[in-house]
Amino acid sequence: MDLNFNDNTNTGVFDLSKGTNGNAPTIKLSSGYEMPIVGLGTYSLHGATCINSVKTAIAAGFRKFDTASVYGNEEEVGQGIRESGVPREDIFVATKLYPNQYSNPETAIEECLSKLDIGYIDLMLLHHPGTNDVKAYKAIEKYVAAGKIRSIGVSCYYVKEISEFLPKVNIKPVLVQNEVHPYYQDTEVVEHLHNLGIVVEAWYPLGGRGHQKELLSDPVLSKIAVSHNKSVAQVILRWDLQRSVVVIPGSSNPDHIKENISIFDFSLTDDEMAQIAALNRNEKHDWY
């Protein structure tokens, strides 16, 4: 297996001209697979709400979904995908192992495959650093070799964590999923990961949990949104994409779901990007 440390597969630039509302462009991962740059996060979705949200998102044009073992909704995500009528190969599904699963990773991986019940997993991440994370990652590598998992990555790994981790594994992570939003822009880490040829994904792009209301009412963002006849959420998501950061906003509201993938009919000017850059507070809302 090849780490491909020097393979900078288009990670620093997204071709947003290829996107239309309801049809997000893809980025080619270092594993060779294509991944949509906009997806639906399912962190807080459960039961029928989760199933219906997945189906609503697919009908709106979403083709990427993010779940995790610890979310307790892999079964519902898989059901929504199976019931959507869209071919499995057209949909990209990511899930994650939690640190309490790292000591027995094979069992955890099999549980993910069984619960999702969609044949294979497009991307499996480690949820955040923890004891036995290298052991768990190497177990996922074996499933990549067997074709049951297509790509592999990590979440909540920053410069120090990724630098210590890379020499210990055989396959370079295709993606790192971190906290990124206008109040915590993580610019140094984003640039470092892009230079390594690793895609960056914002796991909570509309603000840290419990802090979304403040961000969505920010006066600078509100003014920019009005000038484009867009919502603040759309401006934030577009800002991420113009920084080549993948977004996975979560929602069960059909209008918001549609809105979140309707961000390809406008672009932010250099001045507007600079205004948003100036909002950075290095304000991290989660401990990891």
Side-chain angles (χ1 to χ4, degrees):
M1 297 181 189
D2 185 5
L3 280 165
N4 291 324
F5 283 147
N6 297 316
D7 177 15
N8 295 353
T9 311
N10 299 322
T11 49
V13 180
F14 290 169
D15 186 355
L16 300 182
S17 69
K18 292 185 176 180
T20 56
N21 290 346
N23 185 18
T26 61
I27 179 74
K28 187 175 182 180
L29 303 172
S30 59
S31 58
Y33 291 99
E34 297 283 340
M35 182 189 75
I37 61 174
V38 178
L40 180 77
T42 66
Y43 164 73
S44 61
L45 304 178
H46 298 281
T49 298
C50 182
I51 296 167
N52 292 331
S53 297
V54 169
K55 291 162 74 172
T56 296
I58 291 173
F62 280 83
R63 294 295 181 265
K64 171 176 162 60
F65 296 88
D66 178 83
T67 181
S69 240
V70 76
Y71 296 173
N73 63 7
E74 287 171 310
E75 290 172 308
E76 292 98 318
V77 170
Q79 183 176 339
I81 290 166
R82 292 193 306 274
E83 293 179 358
S84 71
V86 172
R88 165 67 184 96
E89 59 269 21
D90 292 346
I91 296 177
F92 189 103
V93 180
T95 191
K96 313 175 198 69
L97 297 187
Y98 205 65
N100 63 5
Q101 298 174 299
Y102 294 171
S103 61
N104 192 3
E106 290 83 2
T107 297
I109 294 166
E110 290 292 342
E111 286 178 359
C112 290
L113 285 162
S114 175
K115 287 178 178 178
L116 282 165
D117 193 19
I118 51 176
Y120 59 90
I121 292 168
D122 294 279
L123 173 64
M124 180 169 278
L125 309 177
L126 300 183
H127 213 123
H128 54 74
T131 303
N132 291 316
D133 54 0
V134 172
K135 176 183 178 180
Y137 192 94
K138 287 187 173 181
I140 301 172
E141 290 179 339
K142 293 177 182 177
Y143 278 78
V144 170
K148 293 183 178 181
I149 296 171
R150 290 190 164 181
S151 300
I152 181 171
V154 295
S155 181
C156 304
Y157 281 63
Y158 301 91
V159 173
K160 178 177 183 290
E161 290 83 0
I162 203 72
S163 298
E164 293 175 352
F165 188 76
L166 286 178
K168 300 175 184 177
V169 299
N170 299 309
I171 302 176
K172 181 181 69 175
V174 301
L175 177 147
V176 175
Q177 187 185 99
N178 281 345
E179 178 177 351
V180 180
H181 49 79
Y183 291 164
Y184 186 75
Q185 299 185 15
D186 215 22
T187 304
E188 177 191 352
V189 178
V190 170
E191 290 178 355
H192 181 72
L193 293 169
H194 282 167
N195 287 336
L196 290 171
I198 298 173
V199 173
V200 179
E201 181 172 87
W203 56 251
Y204 206 76
L206 301 181
R209 296 184 186 113
H211 299 266
Q212 182 170 301
K213 185 177 180 180
E214 180 187 10
L215 184 61
L216 293 183
S217 60
D218 183 276
V220 172
L221 296 172
S222 297
K223 184 177 179 181
I224 293 171
V226 168
S227 71
H228 290 283
N229 196 28
K230 290 289 182 179
S231 69
V232 170
Q234 288 172 312
V235 167
I236 293 170
L237 297 176
R238 181 73 195 194
W239 166 78
D240 275 307
L241 296 187
Q242 289 186 211
R243 296 175 76 222
S244 292
V245 173
V246 177
V247 291
I248 48 170
S251 182
S252 61
N253 181 310
D255 292 334
H256 290 166
I257 288 172
K258 184 177 179 181
E259 179 182 301
N260 290 342
I261 201 169
S262 299
I263 51 177
F264 299 103
D265 57 352
F266 79 108
S267 61
L268 300 173
T269 66
D270 290 345
D271 179 62
E272 289 167 337
M273 292 293 289
Q275 289 179 53
I276 299 173
L279 296 177
N280 188 32
R281 305 173 177 175
N282 290 317
E283 186 174 286
K284 202 167 187 298
H285 294 137
D286 274 284
W287 63 270
Y288 42 73

